[in-house]
Amino acid sequence: MLIINCPLCGPRDHAEFTYIGDATKNRPKSDDISNDDAWYDYVYLRDNPKGLHEELWQHSFGCRCFVKVVRNTVTHQIIATGMPKEDLILDEKGFERSV
Amino acid sequence: MTEGNTNKNFLRRQSALAHVINYGQFGNVSLNGPGLFICERHPLTILQLETAKSKNPQTLAEISNLLNVEFPQTNNTCHGDDERRSLWLGPNRWLIVEPERDCLQTLIKTKFSSSDVFLTDLSHGRSTVRLKGREAREVLMKGSGVDWHLNSFGTDHCVHTKLFDLAATVDCRDIDVFDIYIARGFAEDFWDILLDSAEEFGYQVD
Ligand SMILES: [Zn+2]
C-alpha cells in the first residue's frame, strides 16, 4: 500500500487519490493553434521514465486538491509531495519542498 | 437519538436508517459491557460553506459572529459543540452541523451576497452515525488507513477520508466519541459494515 502525504491532510492511503498525469507538462502560453508543435507536445507526448517521475494526483476522497508527487516508477516509492505550484527540488539530502 | 425540531409545522426529515436500526445489545458483549455504543444522530442541519478567497477572512468573521461559531483555520480540525459545530473540509471549505431548528441557509443568505459565500445544503444528503466506546478506534482502524492514534487524531480533529470504501467525514467529539457523516444513499450499507466490524467487541445500539 502506498502512502501519499497530502500537503493539506497529511499521510493517506493512495486509494483516496486519483491519478491525474504527468506534472512536467505546462500549457503553452500562446493560444495560437498554428503553433502546432507545442500543443502536440502538451496534449499527446509523454515520457515513460524509469526512475523518478513528477506527477499530479488528486485527493478526491479528502480535500479534493491536486497534489504534486515525485514517485519512483521502479520501486513505487513516494519520494516527495507538495502543492502543484511548488518546485520539488532534488539536492544531496533528497527532495525538498521549496514553497 | 432524536435531535432538533419536533414542531409539527416543520416538515419532518426522514431518516435513511430508521427501518434498519434494531435497538439492543448484540455480538460478543463481555463482562465489561459493550465495547461500542452506536446511534444515529437525526435530524441534523448540515451545510457546506465555501467563501470567495478574496473576501475570506472578513466574510468568515461576519458569519462567525452571526452563528456564534468559529471556523477552524487549521487543517483537519473542528470547533463547537453538539449544538453547533464547524468542521474544516478543505481550503476555504467548511461544514456546519447542528440539530435541525431553523433554516440556517436562509439565515446566512439574507445577510450575505451570493458572490461572497457559497452554501450547499446537505441535510437531506447525509446520514450521521455516532460511534462511542473503548473499541471505537479499533473499528475505525478496520475501515481506513488514516492514523487514528490519539496523538494524531484527538478531540476536535476531523478527517475526510475513505471509510469502508465510502467517502466519509469523521469528527472526533471526545477521546472515544466519533461522529461519522456519510452519503445518505450508502447509509444502509455503511450501517451493515459497521455492525459487522463491531460484532467481535460487542455493541449496543441506542
Ligand atoms: Zn488532501
Side-chain angles (χ1 to χ4, degrees):
Chain A
M1 186 64 82
L2 300 179
I3 300 285
I4 297 177
N5 191 9
C6 171
L8 295 167
C9 306
R12 299 296 182 87
D13 249 26
H14 85 284
E16 289 186 16
F17 294 81
T18 310
Y19 182 74
I20 301 295
D22 193 334
T24 60
K25 294 290 170 186
N26 290 318
R27 191 184 163 91
K29 289 209 171 67
S30 150
D31 277 343
D32 180 10
I33 46 167
S34 62
N35 184 9
D36 252 7
D37 286 350
W39 278 98
Y40 183 73
D41 177 55
Y42 173 66
V43 176
Y44 295 111
L45 299 184
R46 294 293 178 270
D47 292 334
N48 185 17
K50 183 180 182 183
L52 302 186
H53 188 223
E54 257 186 44
E55 48 204 27
L56 287 173
W57 292 68
Q58 186 186 13
H59 193 192
S60 29
F61 278 85
C63 59
R64 302 201 56 81
C65 289
F66 281 55
V67 180
K68 193 188 261 183
V69 173
V70 179
R71 180 176 62 97
N72 188 324
T73 57
V74 179
T75 61
H76 286 311
Q77 186 190 1
I78 306 285
I79 293 155
T81 55
M83 297 306 281
K85 280 184 181 167
E86 284 178 319
D87 289 323
L88 303 173
I89 300 163
L90 186 61
D91 60 13
E92 319 80 68
K93 283 177 269 168
F95 269 92
E96 251 175 37
R97 287 170 63 182
S98 71
V99 180
Chain B
M1 185 157 72
T2 304
E3 301 193 29
N5 204 320
T6 47
N7 183 347
K8 279 181 194 143
N9 297 325
F10 209 76
L11 187 60
R12 197 152 52 90
R13 208 177 275 292
Q14 302 295 318
S15 154
L17 290 170
H19 67 291
V20 290
I21 293 180
N22 288 317
Y23 299 98
Q25 290 191 355
F26 305 92
N28 186 23
V29 179
S30 72
L31 288 173
N32 298 327
L36 287 132
F37 297 83
I38 305 170
C39 66
E40 190 197 10
R41 291 192 69 204
H42 179 84
L44 299 179
T45 293
I46 302 173
L47 211 58
Q48 181 177 304
L49 177 145
E50 283 189 52
T51 51
K53 211 173 179 181
S54 54
K55 298 174 178 167
N56 186 331
Q58 192 196 344
T59 313
L60 271 186
E62 286 172 31
I63 301 177
S64 184
N65 273 336
L66 177 72
L67 302 182
N68 198 20
V69 68
E70 262 183 70
F71 292 99
Q73 295 299 316
T74 312
N75 304 1
N76 300 324
T77 58
C78 330
H79 266 297
D81 51 25
D82 272 357
E83 282 307 298
R84 192 169 279 159
R85 196 153 170 82
S86 61
L87 289 75
W88 181 93
L89 284 188
N92 306 317
R93 194 184 314 131
W94 292 268
L95 203 65
I96 310 170
V97 182
E98 66 172 26
E100 190 153 62
R101 282 183 295 256
D102 323 300
C103 187
L104 258 192
Q105 195 173 12
T106 316
L107 180 72
I108 301 175
K109 269 189 172 167
T110 49
K111 307 246 175 182
F112 295 91
S113 88
S114 54
S115 61
D116 292 354
V117 52
F118 315 108
L119 293 165
T120 317
D121 189 3
L122 299 172
S123 316
H124 63 281
R126 295 282 180 278
S127 284
T128 311
V129 173
R130 176 164 287 184
L131 203 61
K132 203 161 59 174
R134 59 178 189 274
E135 306 289 357
R137 281 176 199 268
E138 290 291 324
V139 168
L140 290 174
M141 271 187 242
K142 291 186 189 186
S144 163
V146 170
D147 185 358
W148 298 108
H149 192 276
L150 192 56
N151 288 349
S152 50
F153 191 70
T155 307
D156 286 344
H157 275 73
C158 66
V159 288
H160 192 63
T161 181
K162 205 172 179 182
L163 190 64
F164 298 112
D165 278 325
L166 298 170
T169 308
V170 185
D171 172 7
C172 184
R173 294 287 294 109
D174 205 340
I175 289 174
D176 57 359
V177 183
F178 303 91
D179 282 347
I180 305 170
Y181 304 88
I182 21 127
R184 179 192 169 92
F186 296 117
E188 225 178 290
D189 183 35
F190 177 76
W191 186 257
D192 285 346
I193 303 174
L194 189 67
L195 297 193
D196 282 349
S197 312
E199 197 152 306
E200 63 170 305
F201 308 115
Y203 62 90
Q204 178 173 318
V205 180
D206 297 313

